[in-house]
Structures are given as structure tokens and as C-alpha cells.
């Protein structure tokens, strides 16, 4: 799935509002494919994990796919980052 520059910017900006699980899943896709930068599985896992918590079923699949490419330290870092992000939400 390819995203335009506008879609990439919108995906990053939505986290400052009230994102849906689908919004967060889109961020995970951006990071897992390296669109708009380099591939970052830890960041992608974080967003897929959060999207899953918000009810996005597709994010579960994507999270599992990239988990197979990560070691336990990376997965732990992603989970920690997700908890930190959640702690900043009201």
C-alpha cells in the first residue's frame, strides 16, 4: 500500500487529535514499509499494538507479521513505547 506525501503527513498529525484504530494502523504501515523514511519495526509494532487495542483487526495481522522479523528486545521496546504513548492520552 503506497501513501502520498499528504496521506503520510495526515497520518502523523492524527496522533495529536483523537485517532481511530485505523489511523494508528496506517502509521504502523508507514513505519513497517519505510514510506516517508526508513523501516522501523519497533515504531511500527507500537502503532499496530495501539491500533489493535482500539479494535483494528487488520493491525493484529500486521503486528504478527513484523513480530516474526523482530527479537524480544525490540518487541519489548515497542510495547514500552506503546504504554508510554497511552500514558500521555487524557
Amino acid at each position: 500500500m503506497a501513501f502520498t506525501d499528504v496521506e503520510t503527513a495526515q497520518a502523523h498529525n492524527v496522533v495529536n487529535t483523537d485517532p481511530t484504530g485505523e489511523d494508528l494502523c496506517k502509521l504502523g504501515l508507514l513505519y513497517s514499509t519505510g514510506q516517508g523514511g526508513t523501516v522501523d519495526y519497533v515504531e511500527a509494532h507500537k502503532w499496530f499494538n495501539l491500533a489493535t487495542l482500539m479494535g483494528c483487526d487488520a493491525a493484529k495481522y500486521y503486528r504478527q507479521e513484523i513480530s516474526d522479523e523482530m527479537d524480544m528486545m525490540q518487541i519489548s521496546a515497542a510495547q514500552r513505547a506503546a504504554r508510554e504513548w497511552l500514558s500521555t492520552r487524557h
Side-chain angles (χ1 to χ4, degrees):
M1 175 180 286
F3 296 102
T4 65
D5 290 341
V6 171
E7 289 173 316
T8 300
Q10 288 172 335
H12 283 94
N13 289 334
V14 78
V15 298
N16 298 318
T17 60
D18 191 21
T20 66
E22 287 73 23
D23 294 330
L24 300 181
C25 185
K26 186 182 282 188
L27 268 177
L29 287 169
L30 287 169
Y31 283 103
S32 68
T33 59
Q35 293 186 51
T38 59
V39 172
D40 186 339
Y41 286 146
V42 172
E43 193 70 10
H45 191 285
K46 174 182 97 175
W47 295 118
F48 288 144
N49 196 36
L50 292 164
T52 298
L53 289 172
M54 296 178 103
C56 180
D57 289 333
K60 291 178 191 177
Y61 169 78
Y62 296 132
R63 182 182 60 190
Q64 182 57 50
E65 287 290 306
I66 65 167
S67 291
D68 293 341
E69 303 297 322
M70 300 168 71
D71 61 35
M72 291 307 296
M73 300 258 316
Q74 291 172 309
I75 292 171
S76 293
Q79 291 171 337
R80 190 170 39 259
R83 285 191 302 274
E84 288 171 7
W85 186 82
L86 281 174
S87 73
T88 67
R89 306 302 289 171
H90 310 290

